[in-house]
Amino acid sequence: MKLFPIVAATVFSLSASAVFAQEAAATGADATLAGPGLTMGKAATMPLKYVNIQDSDLVVSKLIGVDLYNKNNETIGEISDVVIGGGKSVIGVVASVGGFLGVGESYVVLDPASIAIGEEDGTWKAYVDTTKDDLTKAPKLDYSKLKK
């Protein structure tokens, strides 16, 4: 009768995974800890979960177009895109620099850890510790060389 413990363990593990799949939605910063990230592929690998966001959370649509400021509070660029590495986490923030009215601008990818984001009078601002000249000289991102 050694089969009973194996069957009992299997039933218990299946019921535990069903309970786990129905857990409450993660909220705010805890949402980033709720799973492994996006799956790169053509099929979902986990049951659907929901996330509740907080007023203090920042969505990418609000981040795009935010001006970059240096320590002297001078505008030195603008956030134009966000890079998600392997579907897991934000690994880069693309900044547009230089140019005038969209002509002649170039793009550089900044480490998210080097950017501070804050709200001032209802407007989001991003702060970096560099100059406009250094940002213009940084290695460029060529969108045309990225895979689709």
Side-chain angles (χ1 to χ4, degrees), residues 50-71:
Y50 296 95
V51 175
N52 294 319
I53 62 172
Q54 307 299 314
D55 288 340
S56 58
D57 294 333
L58 181 62
V59 293
V60 172
S61 61
K62 301 288 185 194
L63 190 60
I64 304 301
V66 168
D67 287 329
L68 285 172
Y69 293 88
N70 62 13
K71 286 184 174 182

Side-chain angles (χ1 to χ4, degrees), residues 64-137:
I64 304 301
V66 168
D67 287 329
L68 285 172
Y69 293 88
N70 62 13
K71 286 184 174 182
N72 298 326
N73 207 29
E74 301 165 328
T75 306
I76 61 172
E78 181 179 285
I79 295 176
S80 62
D81 213 341
V82 174
V83 181
I84 300 173
K88 303 299 181 212
S89 61
V90 174
I91 62 165
V93 174
V94 180
S96 61
V97 296
F100 181 71
L101 298 176
V103 177
E105 69 186 351
S106 59
Y107 302 96
V108 298
V109 183
L110 310 175
D111 182 334
S114 64
I115 303 170
I117 298 174
E119 189 177 6
E120 184 177 305
D121 299 325
T123 302
W124 287 104
K125 291 185 173 186
Y127 301 91
V128 292
D129 184 12
T130 192
T131 65
K132 188 171 191 168
D133 189 47
D134 285 345
L135 201 58
T136 303
K137 293 177 185 176

